[in-house]
Amino acid sequence: VTARYVRVAVPVPLHRTFSYRVPDGMEPQPGVRVSVPFGPRRLVGVVTDGPDESPPEGVDPKKIKPLLAQLDEQPVLDAELRALCAWMATYYHLPPGEAWLQPLPPGMTGGRSGEAKPLTMKTVTVAHFLRAAGDGERLSARMAQVLKFLETALESTAPDLRAETGASLDTLRRLAAREFIRLEEREVPRDPFADLRAISHPAHEPTPGQRAAIARISESLGSFSPFLLMGVTGSGKTEVYLQVIEAVLARGEAALVLVPEIALTPQLVARFRARFGDRIAALHSGLDPDARHEQWLRIAAAELPVVIGARSALFAPIPNLGLLVVDEEHDPSFKQDTPPRYHARDLSLVRGHLAGCPVLLGSATPSLESWLNCRRGKLELLELTERAMDRPMPPVSLIDLRAYDFADEDKIFSLPLFEAIRENLARDEQTILFLNRRGFAAFLLCRACGQSLSCPACSVTLTWHRGRGRLICHWCDHVAARPAVCPNPECGDDALQEVGFGTERVEGVLRELLPEARVARMDRDTTRGKALNRLLDRFRDRDIDVLVGTQMVAKGHDFPGVTLVGVLLAETGLALPDLRASERTFHLLTQIAGRAGRADRPGRVLVQTYNPEHYALQHALTHDARAFLAEELALREALDRPPITHMAVFRLNGPDADAVMREARSVAHGLQADIDAAADPESVWLMGPQPAPIERIRGLYRWQLHIIARQRAALGTLIARAMARLDDAKLPANLQVSLDVDPQSFL
DNA sequence: AGCACGCCGACT
DNA sequence: GTCGGCGTGCTC
């Protein structure tokens, strides 16, 4: 019998797989987990290729070790997921281990700590009625109550009994000891929707646009067909999803729905739940590892044919995928900004292709990438032009802050906006105020020496949070007390001044201006844990008049009582060194405007700005996504920027500024040499290397190097060669190099 | 990424 | 005399 070998993706950041000998008796197929020796360690990996009878080339046969164990009889990654992982590894130049283990829950890979462990099911104690109390058998009042209840119910869970009678588990045990009842541990599925409030959604007749979209997608089921569903807020994209999913389920197939952040879209989830009941799986970061593991297993067993989740749910092990939906496809959170840096929207098209099913990208304000794909015929455009029930889009007005007086000393509220808030309050209608900056003051500035207080570990200013009484770095979470005097040793003046404002200050100033208003704030500081859902419920219940928030308030919530939306400073995002700054501003303004006037009352939107001529603002005024997209696309074309061209960025960081710079230059030299030697050097550009806009984070100096190419293939070849050089290079241990293909963040 | 091996300072 | 600092080398 000849030896057999398999290739295994192991969870290490190395750009290659490792070969192992297959011991007799094992039959490891691709997609099967195996336990392997790796140096002094043992790791859980996934078989990518083999078994193969010829030994791997280029490996010293003496070094090849046998597999320690085969952990699965059948592959845990089916052919579709394996192809998706392989595609992802190639496109994003990921180490195979990073790509191939991505779909598996931490419990199946051993996660951080060594061994894969079997999932323990959640259990609940169930009490069964055995007999009633005889004469002379004395029972406590509570015990009698429990017994009386069980006598008719016959069985009940301990939590239900506690709710019914107040009886503790201990009381139940005493009853069981006297053989009045029998206790049993029963396995129960964990509920990923435990803290979700049910929301009823009135059904109404589909509009002609909805009907056409549903028909077009439904007739494409069973084959790869990518669509862009474009429709303004309130035009009923969700209803299209729901009806198409019904058609998918009727074919015996499953549907996968990706949403930007599941915690911020409880209403969408609630509607899915109302329609599909307990056939829904949820995969999101709020689930504990066991709950996630359990959802994963139930999805793989085809028990839950509707999967809804954030970015990482793209890798859900759905065996018979019949439809992929990416809601709010333009949302930047679909790109993961930590390794592995993949874009779930882009990968959804790959998976749809592999699964042979329609992919439905939905947005009111499509990304430029998707818009270009439409124009090139790679996506079919389906448009919803009418809003349900003929509600008009709310009028948007720009308030030029240079032309008006302010209601407050901090110059937060222009008089027109303040008057509008007051009128709205008098009419007992709700208001949302949006500012994309949290904290109280943006930073503290010393008027004597002109220095501002910055983070000791990062090259950014500290943000003053008055409620917590602390200066906080939004990049490394460094927390500092507020100094009484300027910490500059050559200054020491007490002239520290608060500069700029965040949501916390807006909230405070508004409380002073309108003491009778019930004001609340929604940002990352106020929505830890379950606080977000509570806040949303209170606002919906109209316990809050004015909600001040960051971009969290722009997401898909539906608040019928909101008739006024105010944007405090529209240009906060425009100054960022980011090629998508205008695009993001347009998305945000359009989304936030969509919050106004969703019920029977008309809404309006007031946008404060010092920069009213900006085209992103002008197009948001008219709700004209097509006009914005056309103008922005022309701009990108003129500047040779994505999505017309293709981009990747090498980022380097380390504690030694000179070493980081040197290595960045060395990477650049290698790339430049490859470009010069290429057939078409004119179609590739290097930008940099240069220090990142935030030069230092957590004490590490950061440099970056952007590569732009006209052809995707040329970019891939260049990067592959640079990565190969880096793999061989002996870099200082504390110097990190990372690659980001199709970067979304430029800081 | 880990983990081991290896060569130089302050402790029982 | 040893415990332990982290440089650097390797993982089928």
Side-chain angles (χ1 to χ4, degrees):
Chain A
V1 181
T2 48
R4 293 175 307 155
Y5 303 90
V6 284
R7 293 193 156 274
V8 178
V10 288
V12 288
L14 299 170
H15 285 88
R16 55 183 180 275
T17 53
F18 290 81
S19 292
Y20 290 87
R21 197 162 49 70
V22 179
D24 291 342
M26 287 191 202
E27 288 298 328
Q29 298 302 308
V32 156
R33 290 176 306 150
V34 286
S35 176
V36 296
F38 197 75
R41 302 183 278 168
R42 45 187 296 163
L43 295 172
V44 175
V46 174
V47 174
T48 62
D49 298 282
D52 199 335
E53 300 211 339
S54 54
E57 285 173 42
V59 185
D60 179 357
K62 287 194 295 293
K63 286 191 169 180
I64 298 181
K65 299 174 184 172
L67 298 173
L68 292 172
Q70 178 176 340
L71 302 180
D72 305 298
E73 286 296 311
Q74 295 301 316
V76 289
L77 300 182
D78 63 17
E80 181 184 314
L81 279 179
R82 295 200 298 274
L84 183 66
C85 290
W87 194 95
M88 173 166 74
T90 305
Y91 183 88
Y92 294 107
H93 300 269
L94 298 174
E98 195 126 55
W100 285 70
L101 296 180
Q102 180 64 27
L104 301 175
M108 289 178 73
T109 61
R112 288 279 70 94
S113 56
E115 282 305 270
K117 54 178 182 300
L119 176 69
T120 49
M121 293 298 286
K122 186 182 173 188
T123 59
V124 66
T125 304
V126 181
H128 299 265
F129 179 75
L130 291 180
R131 66 181 180 91
D135 292 339
E137 281 187 301
R138 292 224 312 267
L139 288 176
S140 71
R142 182 143 293 158
M143 285 171 136
Q145 216 181 336
V146 170
L147 216 50
K148 180 161 171 262
F149 179 78
L150 278 176
E151 189 161 6
T152 46
L154 293 181
E155 69 165 60
S156 177
T157 68
D160 286 351
L161 276 172
R162 183 175 207 126
E164 195 70 35
T165 66
S168 68
L169 203 55
D170 190 55
T171 306
L172 299 184
R173 289 207 190 94
R174 285 164 205 265
L175 279 169
R178 292 166 66 184
E179 298 188 325
F180 292 114
I181 64 174
R182 178 172 61 81
L183 295 181
E184 169 212 13
E185 292 295 308
R186 183 183 293 168
E187 290 187 346
V188 287
R190 294 171 175 86
D191 180 8
F193 305 100
D195 47 7
L196 189 71
R197 179 161 108 168
I199 295 167
S200 66
H201 193 92
H204 32 71
E205 270 301 289
T207 63
Q210 284 176 319
R211 242 196 297 274
I214 292 162
R216 181 71 192 94
I217 304 160
S218 299
E219 73 189 25
S220 316
L221 295 179
S223 66
F224 174 59
S225 16
F227 297 101
L228 176 64
L229 180 65
M230 184 173 174
V232 295
T233 319
S235 61
K237 291 188 290 293
T238 308
E239 188 57 33
V240 174
Y241 305 155
L242 291 168
Q243 295 212 18
V244 177
I245 291 171
E246 276 173 2
V248 169
L249 297 183
R251 291 165 53 93
E253 295 174 333
L256 172 57
V257 181
L258 301 184
V259 295
E261 270 171 277
I262 211 160
L264 294 179
T265 47
Q267 302 189 50
L268 184 92
V269 178
R271 275 183 74 183
F272 272 77
R273 204 163 196 218
R275 192 74 68 100
F276 300 112
D278 55 10
R279 287 180 293 172
I280 299 190
L283 290 171
H284 59 91
S285 55
L287 297 182
D288 68 58
D290 282 349
R292 183 188 293 244
H293 193 165
E294 185 182 305
Q295 290 286 300
W296 198 94
L297 292 174
R298 296 184 67 199
I299 293 165
E303 286 175 34
L304 303 170
V306 182
V307 179
I308 183 162
R311 183 177 61 222
S312 64
L314 175 75
F315 300 100
I318 301 170
N320 52 346
L321 189 59
L323 175 75
L324 265 148
V325 174
V326 182
D327 189 33
E328 308 291 355
E329 64 86 22
H330 62 275
D331 196 289
S333 72
F334 285 120
K335 178 75 192 286
Q336 182 147 296
D337 58 7
T338 54
R341 294 189 166 84
Y342 63 90
H343 200 304
R345 178 241 291 143
D346 298 347
L347 285 183
S348 76
L349 293 166
V350 177
R351 184 159 189 191
H353 188 80
L354 293 166
C357 72
V359 179
L360 186 50
L361 309 182
S363 178
T365 54
S367 64
L368 236 52
E369 281 75 6
S370 294
W371 188 242
L372 184 62
N373 275 335
C374 263
R375 296 210 349 197
R376 289 181 172 166
K378 293 182 184 171
L379 289 174
E380 181 177 334
L381 181 64
L382 302 171
E383 238 179 322
L384 302 179
T385 47
E386 322 91 332
R387 288 185 104 188
M389 306 191 305
D390 287 333
R391 274 188 256 126
M393 288 301 284
V396 181
S397 324
L398 288 184
I399 299 175
D400 183 346
L401 289 175
R402 296 166 302 188
Y404 290 97
D405 286 331
F406 289 88
D408 60 302
E409 290 176 359
D410 298 314
K411 302 197 173 185
I412 297 173
F413 296 99
S414 66
L415 284 177
L417 177 61
F418 179 66
E419 281 310 315
I421 297 170
R422 195 151 67 176
E423 284 168 23
N424 222 42
L425 187 63
R427 278 200 303 267
D428 205 21
E429 294 179 9
Q430 287 178 297
T431 301
I432 287 177
L433 295 177
F434 167 70
L435 176 66
N436 213 357
R437 192 195 289 145
R438 62 201 174 93
F440 189 80
F443 57 94
L444 296 184
L445 175 75
C446 175
R447 272 175 302 169
C449 72
Q451 288 195 15
S452 44
L453 263 62
S454 50
C455 176
C458 312
S459 49
V460 295
T461 53
L462 294 167
T463 304
W464 171 237
H465 288 245
R466 189 174 65 170
R468 287 206 265 167
R470 289 285 184 274
L471 289 159
I472 297 173
C473 173
H474 286 180
W475 287 90
C476 74
D477 297 324
H478 173 80
V479 176
R482 180 175 181 161
V485 298
C486 177
N488 178 359
E490 286 159 30
C491 177
D493 202 281
D494 64 355
L496 286 176
Q497 183 187 7
E498 294 171 2
V499 178
F501 55 87
T503 45
E504 191 184 357
R505 187 182 209 123
V506 173
E507 182 193 12
V509 169
L510 194 62
R511 288 216 162 113
E512 284 170 29
L513 291 176
L514 294 170
E516 71 276 23
R518 295 166 301 172
V519 180
R521 172 161 58 99
M522 180 163 131
D523 55 32
R524 233 185 323 145
D525 298 318
T526 63
T527 55
R528 288 161 206 282
K530 295 183 194 299
L532 173 68
N533 275 334
R534 237 180 292 133
L535 198 58
L536 291 173
D537 288 345
R538 276 176 58 210
F539 194 52
R540 202 170 299 115
D541 293 341
R542 311 190 74 153
D543 287 342
I544 295 167
D545 298 311
V546 184
L547 185 65
V548 179
T550 55
Q551 52 185 309
M552 263 183 207
V553 299
K555 304 282 173 175
H557 318 293
D558 188 2
F559 303 114
V562 174
T563 52
L564 173 64
V565 165
V567 177
L568 293 163
L569 200 54
E571 58 264 45
T572 46
L574 288 175
L576 294 174
D578 183 327
L579 70 91
R580 293 183 183 82
S582 297
E583 191 184 351
R584 294 218 171 121
T585 300
F586 179 78
H587 290 158
L588 265 176
L589 289 179
T590 309
Q591 281 204 348
I592 188 83
R595 301 304 118 215
R598 298 203 59 170
D600 41 355
R601 276 177 287 202
R604 61 178 171 149
V605 183
L606 299 180
V607 179
Q608 297 191 146
T609 176
Y610 289 99
N611 191 3
E613 285 84 25
H614 195 283
Y615 66 101
L617 275 53
Q618 286 294 329
H619 291 306
L621 273 190
T622 51
H623 303 282
D624 196 344
R626 278 173 174 267
F628 171 77
L629 288 162
E631 184 160 359
E632 181 70 8
L633 199 55
L635 208 56
R636 305 271 182 95
E637 196 147 20
L639 297 172
D640 292 319
R641 287 294 180 270
I644 302 292
T645 53
H646 308 281
M647 185 188 266
V649 55
F650 279 100
R651 300 199 185 89
L652 299 91
N653 66 60
D656 177 348
D658 279 343
V660 174
M661 178 188 72
R662 275 197 307 274
E663 189 56 35
R665 289 188 173 152
S666 145
V667 174
H669 283 141
L671 281 164
Q672 191 60 57
D674 282 343
I675 293 170
D676 293 342
D680 191 6
E682 302 298 296
S683 70
V684 183
W685 302 264
L686 279 191
M687 292 159 57
Q690 67 222 146
I694 299 177
E695 291 182 37
R696 198 166 60 107
I697 294 181
R698 292 177 194 272
L700 301 180
Y701 292 87
R702 314 165 71 238
W703 277 62
Q704 51 187 224
L705 172 63
H706 290 90
I707 312 163
I708 295 180
R710 264 194 214 295
Q711 305 300 329
R712 172 67 68 180
L715 185 68
T717 312
L718 271 178
I719 293 171
R721 303 180 116 193
M723 291 303 249
R725 281 194 295 271
L726 281 166
D727 265 357
D728 295 338
K730 310 249 179 287
L731 298 179
N734 53 22
L735 197 131
Q736 300 216 347
V737 184
S738 68
L739 173 75
D740 189 353
V741 176
D742 303 334
Q744 293 283 316
S745 167
F746 294 82
L747 296 176

